[in-house]
Amino acid sequence: MSSKPSIPKGTRDFSTKEMLKREYIFENIKQVFRLFGYQPIETPAMENITTLLGKYGDEGDKLLFRILNSGDFLSSLNYDDMTTLEYSKLSSKICEKGLRYDLTVPFARYVVQHREEIVFPFKRYQIQPVWRADRPQKGRYREFFQCDVDVIGSDSILNEYELIRIIDDIFKILRISTVIKINNRKVLAGIAAYIGESDRIIDITVAIDKLDKIGIENVNSELSTKGLSEKAISNLQPFLQLNGNTSDKLGTLNRLLSESEVGKKGITELQTLFTYIGNRSLSCDIELDLTLARGLNYYTGAIIEVKSKDVNIGSICGGGRYDNLTGVFGMEGVSGVGISFGADRIYDVMNQLNLFDDLKGSSTDVLIVNFGEDETKYSLKILDKLHEMGVKTELFPDPAKLKKQLSYADSKKIPFILMAGENEINNNCIKVKNMSSGEQKEISMKVLKKFVENEIRQTKGIDSLPPNLKIL
Amino acid sequence: MSSKPSIPKGTRDFSTKEMLKREYIFENIKQVFRLFGYQPIETPAMENITTLLGKYGDEGDKLLFRILNSGDFLSSLNYDDMTTLEYSKLSSKICEKGLRYDLTVPFARYVVQHREEIVFPFKRYQIQPVWRADRPQKGRYREFFQCDVDVIGSDSILNEYELIRIIDDIFKILRISTVIKINNRKVLAGIAAYIGESDRIIDITVAIDKLDKIGIENVNSELSTKGLSEKAISNLQPFLQLNGNTSDKLGTLNRLLSESEVGKKGITELQTLFTYIGNRSLSCDIELDLTLARGLNYYTGAIIEVKSKDVNIGSICGGGRYDNLTGVFGMEGVSGVGISFGADRIYDVMNQLNLFDDLKGSSTDVLIVNFGEDETKYSLKILDKLHEMGVKTELFPDPAKLKKQLSYADSKKIPFILMAGENEINNNCIKVKNMSSGEQKEISMKVLKKFVENEIRQTKGIDSLPPNLKIL
């Protein structure tokens, strides 16, 4: 047991420095969610395995972490199980629970289970870790956080508009320049109908989803491999090459899809959304992007995806409208729309762009040096006074060498050092050292409060997390 | 799949109402931790099973949730495993990971693993769920949250004092009347030596730990059953019946344990701690309680336990000093002291005492009624203005009947309703309804800001979570 301990691959410890940055992101996201009237729920880490199985495709089922039944898990096996020894069958028998794979399926389960208590439209957010037995690689973890915000029980396009506003507010506060891409699944269905391949919509959207990555030639040949006729592929080209501003694009679509009911409905939804957006200036760029399909097949209306303009890292937020999320749990006809913020990628973008600069607010403000038992009584009084004023203050617990105490302050980025030795105690004052300027001075205990108001509060510049936003 | 879905027994969903109360507790606890210079870390939900096994006794090992290896978990079994079919042996072979059982062992693992990056004394807090396969019962869950705060790498009694201060601040803010009980493991060791039963210290402390519950007669007969001599039991009585104020108790102990080195050291530690405490008035009651032993055997100095004075629910916070937490991972001689707040019990106490009354700050402030497409443009402008002022505002997404919209506001406890129909739009004003007084009035758009300042902010009474504490 004396070799250095470690953690499972694909998981992470978060140090205090990392946590303060992460909390900065989560706090700001939460504050914006609340500003728009969303409230938090939480669901258990483990769900019944039947709740999870079959919701993420065969690939997803394989990536579920399963929890071994407590006690004698073998007792649930029969002779056949024991002799066949087929691991995928066995695992379902010895594991009744699994770790959640995302927040969407638990949310759907929650809505159905608590339908009697919920008042619709139900505006909720949920920020919790999820677990996937993916092969770990750079930027992909087996435990990571999702921040989901959804409104369920209303099909008004005002909800889509609200989510766009939330995206815009959050990335403005976090100072990340972004482009919000918008599409509509009904328009994609209309296009599939227009080219005479309605039943191939999944193949088509999966292929065009890759347009950015593999280019138009490869998309076309992939579609051909999938069995689309040459005529269908040729008819698809105007959609793949759609350009101009949003109103040009909507005009072209209107013309091409004039025969498709579903297509026209999608265009109307897009027009309504862009009218709401058009009335207001946003910080993000907004783009109607027909090549946006997103992998998940449960979207039925708007599709939304957000990318950083400065860091090439894939989507940092995405979502859309689904008309039947809860159907799989027996509750039909409830429409909802939601998006998910990728906290880990947002963290990476902000780190890369040095956007955590001004996080000084979260460190300790003041370290009082410990000179030994005799001075401690005096120091404890100062400590009390500063705490009463809400100043984050530590008294170093041991009378260690001054150098050690100063290097402790340095490593925690504590901006002010207070020292009270025999002289200061006799004169009822304190020596103050400003760690960034190096300046030292003596102040009388009487002006301690003034010192806090004028110097500490100014240096910190903020009065609590989150630094950028004050919600009433 | 059409039967109502459910969650594993012993786990919980948290509704928006419950979450806001829980966050109120967590936020206040965190703010106090930060006020004293503690910073957060987080560790993964899953640890290598070898990190967890053997740390909580045989009973604890059985209560670990184990995670089945991904893929073909049978491939790690040999012929013997397959034929013996002994479930406890098998489980260790097919599960390399387990869910964390508490925050203490992962913290010890963290400190050893990251010893090179950590600057000591290391002051950290950690608020995360833990999982135990306990039999679920009222007030006991299989997933629950712990809030741990520890300082490691310093043996100064100032740390114990700081934790007492933190306990006092937190329960003052949460408005829970408490008594903090303090004992010292070295004193218990001294007592065991004094009665000539040094090697029975565990039996003795386990027995006297039950004094509150089963009474002195039963404690004595339990000790007799465990094989303690009559003389030892008789010598133990003055300790069990110790009374008077703290200084009386310490005086008696000093006299009785004058021959025991370890006992005297424990008494000195207690004296130092009570001297620090004595210099300051606390809100909590403080009591030196020799019968306090706590189940865990790794404590080596101070032992701390906190109880509510108004609700009989067992301890709501507890901890102590340990001199060798990291030894099991190969890092010897690091002393630390820490406490853990029981969030679930604190929640129950506050619910029972109606201490969540003033949580109005976390609800939405304003609902704007939706009268239809024509009015929406005007309403969206109001929405923007209120959001810019930091007022939590929703526009109802659908033009539903007024009654439905008002009952939505009621269920979310939204205190103000704004209405802008044709008349109001023509007059550039808004109708305001105060949901608690029932009062309605018209205000001009020009005075919207004043209305926010004078009425909304006053009704809410606070400007952000946490309501009771503002940290600089």
Side-chain angles (χ1 to χ4, degrees):
Chain A
M1 192 55 85
S2 67
S3 70
K4 211 173 172 187
S6 64
I7 50 178
K9 63 177 186 228
T11 68
R12 291 165 291 174
D13 282 327
F14 296 112
S15 70
T16 55
K17 284 194 179 78
E18 289 162 328
M19 278 302 294
L20 293 174
K21 293 179 186 177
R22 290 174 67 85
E23 289 199 349
Y24 173 87
I25 295 173
F26 290 131
E27 269 310 311
N28 279 300
I29 288 178
K30 271 192 205 175
Q31 294 277 345
V32 175
F33 289 167
R34 290 201 178 176
L35 185 64
F36 285 82
Y38 291 79
Q39 296 194 327
I41 69 161
E42 280 186 7
T43 61
M46 40 179 92
E47 294 275 352
N48 291 324
I49 197 82
T50 51
T51 299
L52 303 173
L53 282 173
K55 309 302 187 299
Y56 309 104
D58 289 348
E59 204 43 47
D61 283 354
K62 282 188 202 142
L63 300 183
L64 293 173
F65 279 112
R66 293 155 195 255
I67 294 161
L68 193 67
N69 295 345
S70 308
D72 184 0
F73 62 90
L74 293 171
S75 64
S76 54
L77 298 180
N78 58 30
Y79 181 78
D80 255 22
D81 299 323
M82 298 290 211
T83 45
T84 325
L85 287 177
E86 227 257 273
Y87 81 88
S88 61
K89 265 192 201 153
L90 272 185
S91 68
S92 298
K93 294 216 163 186
I94 61 178
C95 298
E96 285 165 7
K97 295 179 286 290
L99 293 180
R100 69 174 161 251
Y101 179 90
D102 70 1
L103 301 179
T104 306
V105 167
F107 176 52
R109 193 266 311 145
Y110 179 96
V111 169
V112 177
Q113 189 176 336
H114 301 281
R115 60 207 290 179
E116 313 296 342
E117 308 133 44
I118 294 173
V119 177
F120 295 94
F122 183 41
K123 300 171 82 167
R124 87 87 174 79
Y125 69 83
Q126 190 169 355
I127 302 180
Q128 291 191 279
V130 301
W131 295 270
R132 296 181 187 179
D134 254 324
R135 190 178 300 276
Q137 50 181 273
K138 193 178 177 306
R140 186 188 290 170
Y141 305 102
R142 294 186 146 192
E143 174 181 67
F144 59 97
F145 276 74
Q146 293 194 331
C147 311
D148 278 23
V149 60
D150 291 79
V151 51
I152 190 164
S154 160
D155 55 12
S156 164
I157 304 295
L158 279 173
N159 300 301
E160 275 85 342
Y161 169 62
E162 181 164 89
L163 294 176
I164 301 290
R165 288 279 320 271
I166 287 175
I167 293 169
D168 191 59
D169 270 14
I170 287 174
F171 290 117
K172 184 165 68 190
I173 289 168
L174 297 178
R175 296 187 288 148
I176 301 177
S177 299
T178 52
V179 52
I180 305 177
K181 299 186 173 204
I182 297 177
N183 195 5
N184 190 297
R185 200 67 180 223
K186 295 190 183 80
V187 171
L188 293 178
I191 294 172
Y194 173 82
I195 65 170
E197 299 277 4
S198 272
D199 51 341
R200 309 298 291 276
I201 179 166
I202 307 256
D203 286 342
I204 297 169
T205 57
V206 167
I208 65 183
D209 196 22
K210 298 182 189 162
L211 195 63
D212 256 9
K213 279 182 216 146
I214 63 176
I216 196 157
E217 295 299 325
N218 291 317
V219 165
N220 287 338
S221 64
E222 185 169 321
L223 288 169
S224 171
T225 316
K226 291 248 163 92
L228 258 73
S229 71
E230 219 160 291
K231 182 159 172 254
I233 294 175
S234 143
N235 281 339
L236 186 64
Q237 300 310 302
F239 297 99
L240 297 182
Q241 288 157 10
L242 199 72
N243 54 28
N245 62 27
T246 303
S247 114
D248 296 340
K249 288 178 183 171
L250 286 172
T252 309
L253 284 176
N254 236 332
R255 195 167 37 74
L256 290 169
L257 298 182
S258 59
E259 303 292 305
S260 159
E261 274 313 306
V262 63
K264 282 196 298 187
K265 190 151 193 309
I267 293 168
T268 305
E269 288 179 9
L270 283 172
Q271 264 160 342
T272 308
L273 178 55
F274 277 101
T275 305
Y276 290 138
I277 294 170
N279 287 328
R280 192 175 192 277
S281 69
L282 297 180
S283 308
C284 297
D285 291 350
I286 305 264
E287 196 181 295
L288 169 58
D289 183 356
L290 276 196
T291 68
L292 178 66
R294 288 185 71 79
L296 287 166
N297 287 313
Y298 54 73
Y299 293 127
T300 52
I303 309 173
I304 300 164
E305 199 168 273
V306 184
K307 290 191 168 174
S308 154
K309 290 207 274 189
D310 301 311
V311 179
N312 186 12
I313 201 174
S315 114
I316 54 177
C317 174
R321 179 172 287 278
Y322 40 82
D323 281 338
N324 202 16
L325 187 69
T326 54
V328 68
F329 296 113
M331 184 177 170
E332 301 285 342
V334 185
S335 186
V337 55
I339 50 175
S340 182
F341 288 80
D344 291 294
R345 284 191 179 167
I346 292 172
Y347 181 95
D348 288 345
V349 168
M350 292 182 66
N351 243 350
Q352 214 163 314
L353 300 175
N354 281 318
L355 297 177
F356 289 117
D357 280 359
D358 58 355
L359 265 189
K360 44 189 175 178
S362 39
S363 70
T364 297
D365 305 312
V366 173
L367 177 75
I368 306 176
V369 172
N370 188 326
F371 286 115
E373 209 47 54
D374 292 342
E375 290 83 358
T376 292
K377 205 175 154 183
Y378 187 79
S379 298
L380 284 175
K381 270 190 216 153
I382 303 171
L383 186 70
D384 273 0
K385 286 203 173 120
L386 290 171
H387 281 165
E388 274 155 27
M389 288 184 252
V391 180
K392 297 199 284 294
T393 312
E394 302 180 35
L395 167 62
F396 199 84
D398 305 284
K401 281 189 182 143
L402 185 59
K403 198 181 157 194
K404 187 183 170 186
Q405 299 191 43
L406 291 182
S407 98
Y408 173 85
D410 198 45
S411 75
K412 281 186 96 168
K413 298 203 189 330
I414 301 175
F416 293 97
I417 307 289
L418 299 192
M419 287 171 278
E422 206 183 330
N423 274 339
E424 286 83 12
I425 296 175
N426 289 337
N427 298 324
N428 202 31
C429 68
I430 325 155
K431 197 181 281 169
V432 180
K433 183 182 166 94
N434 181 321
M435 287 291 273
S436 58
S437 69
E439 188 201 350
Q440 286 204 29
K441 62 179 171 186
E442 266 185 14
I443 61 168
S444 141
M445 278 291 267
K446 283 181 201 147
V447 299
L448 185 62
K449 193 165 179 183
K450 217 177 202 167
F451 169 74
V452 169
E453 297 296 344
N454 295 348
E455 307 209 23
I456 300 185
R457 281 187 212 268
Q458 254 180 36
T459 300
K460 308 291 287 193
I462 55 165
D463 60 11
S464 76
L465 268 174
N468 282 322
L469 188 75
K470 294 302 300 170
I471 305 279
L472 174 65
Chain B
M1 192 54 85
S2 66
S3 69
K4 210 173 172 185
S6 63
I7 49 178
K9 62 175 190 230
T11 69
R12 289 165 292 173
D13 283 327
F14 295 113
S15 70
T16 55
K17 284 195 179 78
E18 289 163 328
M19 278 301 294
L20 293 174
K21 293 180 186 178
R22 290 174 66 83
E23 289 198 350
Y24 173 86
I25 295 172
F26 290 132
E27 269 311 310
N28 278 300
I29 289 178
K30 270 191 204 174
Q31 292 278 345
V32 175
F33 289 167
R34 290 202 179 175
L35 185 64
F36 285 83
Y38 290 79
Q39 296 193 329
I41 68 161
E42 281 186 5
T43 61
M46 41 179 90
E47 294 277 350
N48 291 324
I49 198 81
T50 50
T51 299
L52 303 173
L53 283 173
K55 308 304 187 298
Y56 309 104
D58 289 348
E59 203 45 45
D61 282 353
K62 283 187 201 143
L63 299 182
L64 292 174
F65 279 112
R66 291 153 195 257
I67 293 162
L68 194 67
N69 294 345
S70 308
D72 184 1
F73 61 89
L74 293 171
S75 63
S76 54
L77 299 180
N78 57 30
Y79 181 79
D80 254 21
D81 299 322
M82 300 287 210
T83 45
T84 325
L85 287 177
E86 226 256 275
Y87 80 87
S88 61
K89 264 191 202 153
L90 273 185
S91 67
S92 299
K93 292 215 163 184
I94 62 179
C95 299
E96 283 165 7
K97 295 178 286 291
L99 294 179
R100 70 174 160 251
Y101 179 89
D102 70 0
L103 301 179
T104 307
V105 167
F107 176 53
R109 191 267 309 146
Y110 179 96
V111 169
V112 177
Q113 189 176 334
H114 302 280
R115 59 206 289 179
E116 314 297 341
E117 309 133 45
I118 294 173
V119 178
F120 295 95
F122 182 42
K123 300 171 83 168
R124 87 85 173 82
Y125 68 83
Q126 190 170 356
I127 301 180
Q128 290 191 281
V130 301
W131 295 270
R132 296 182 187 179
D134 254 325
R135 190 179 301 277
Q137 49 180 272
K138 192 179 177 303
R140 186 189 289 170
Y141 305 102
R142 291 185 150 193
E143 173 181 68
F144 58 97
F145 276 74
Q146 293 194 329
C147 311
D148 279 22
V149 58
D150 291 80
V151 49
I152 190 164
S154 159
D155 55 12
S156 164
I157 304 295
L158 279 172
N159 299 300
E160 276 85 341
Y161 168 64
E162 181 164 87
L163 293 177
I164 300 291
R165 287 278 321 271
I166 286 176
I167 293 170
D168 191 60
D169 271 13
I170 286 174
F171 290 116
K172 184 165 67 190
I173 288 168
L174 297 178
R175 296 186 290 148
I176 301 176
S177 299
T178 53
V179 51
I180 306 177
K181 298 185 174 205
I182 296 175
N183 195 5
N184 191 295
R185 201 67 180 224
K186 294 190 183 79
V187 172
L188 293 177
I191 294 171
Y194 172 82
I195 67 170
E197 299 277 3
S198 272
D199 50 341
R200 308 299 289 277
I201 180 165
I202 308 258
D203 287 341
I204 297 169
T205 57
V206 167
I208 64 182
D209 196 22
K210 299 182 188 163
L211 195 63
D212 257 9
K213 278 182 216 147
I214 63 176
I216 195 158
E217 294 300 321
N218 291 317
V219 165
N220 286 338
S221 64
E222 184 170 321
L223 288 170
S224 172
T225 316
K226 290 250 164 90
L228 257 74
S229 71
E230 218 161 293
K231 183 159 171 255
I233 295 174
S234 142
N235 282 338
L236 185 63
Q237 299 311 301
F239 297 99
L240 297 183
Q241 289 157 8
L242 199 73
N243 54 29
N245 64 26
T246 304
S247 115
D248 294 341
K249 289 178 183 172
L250 287 171
T252 309
L253 285 176
N254 235 332
R255 195 166 38 75
L256 291 168
L257 299 181
S258 59
E259 303 293 305
S260 159
E261 274 314 307
V262 63
K264 282 194 300 188
K265 189 150 191 312
I267 293 167
T268 306
E269 289 180 9
L270 283 172
Q271 264 161 342
T272 308
L273 178 55
F274 277 101
T275 304
Y276 289 138
I277 294 170
N279 287 329
R280 192 176 190 276
S281 69
L282 297 180
S283 307
C284 297
D285 290 351
I286 304 262
E287 197 182 293
L288 169 58
D289 182 356
L290 275 197
T291 69
L292 177 68
R294 289 185 69 81
L296 288 167
N297 288 312
Y298 55 73
Y299 293 127
T300 51
I303 308 173
I304 300 165
E305 198 167 273
V306 185
K307 290 190 169 175
S308 154
K309 290 206 273 188
D310 301 310
V311 179
N312 187 12
I313 201 174
S315 113
I316 54 177
C317 174
R321 178 170 288 278
Y322 40 83
D323 281 338
N324 202 16
L325 187 69
T326 53
V328 70
F329 296 114
M331 183 176 170
E332 302 284 342
V334 184
S335 187
V337 56
I339 51 174
S340 182
F341 287 80
D344 291 294
R345 283 189 179 171
I346 292 172
Y347 181 94
D348 288 345
V349 168
M350 291 182 67
N351 243 350
Q352 213 163 314
L353 300 176
N354 282 316
L355 297 177
F356 289 117
D357 281 359
D358 58 354
L359 266 188
K360 43 190 175 180
S362 38
S363 70
T364 296
D365 305 315
V366 172
L367 177 76
I368 306 176
V369 172
N370 187 326
F371 286 114
E373 209 46 57
D374 291 344
E375 290 83 356
T376 293
K377 205 174 153 185
Y378 187 78
S379 298
L380 283 176
K381 270 191 216 152
I382 304 172
L383 187 72
D384 273 1
K385 286 205 172 119
L386 290 172
H387 281 165
E388 273 157 27
M389 288 186 251
V391 180
K392 297 200 283 292
T393 312
E394 302 180 34
L395 167 62
F396 199 84
D398 305 285
K401 285 195 177 135
L402 184 59
K403 199 180 157 195
K404 189 184 168 184
Q405 300 192 42
L406 291 182
S407 97
Y408 173 86
D410 199 45
S411 75
K412 280 185 97 168
K413 297 203 187 334
I414 301 176
F416 293 97
I417 307 289
L418 299 193
M419 287 171 279
E422 207 184 327
N423 274 340
E424 287 82 12
I425 296 174
N426 289 336
N427 297 324
N428 202 30
C429 68
I430 326 156
K431 197 182 282 170
V432 181
K433 183 183 165 89
N434 181 320
M435 287 289 273
S436 57
S437 69
E439 190 201 348
Q440 286 203 30
K441 61 179 174 189
E442 264 185 14
I443 60 168
S444 142
M445 279 291 268
K446 283 183 202 146
V447 299
L448 185 64
K449 191 163 180 188
K450 217 177 203 169
F451 170 74
V452 168
E453 297 295 343
N454 294 348
E455 305 207 25
I456 301 184
R457 280 187 214 268
Q458 250 180 39
T459 300
K460 310 290 290 194
I462 55 167
D463 61 10
S464 75
L465 269 175
N468 282 319
L469 189 72
K470 294 301 302 170
I471 304 279
L472 174 66

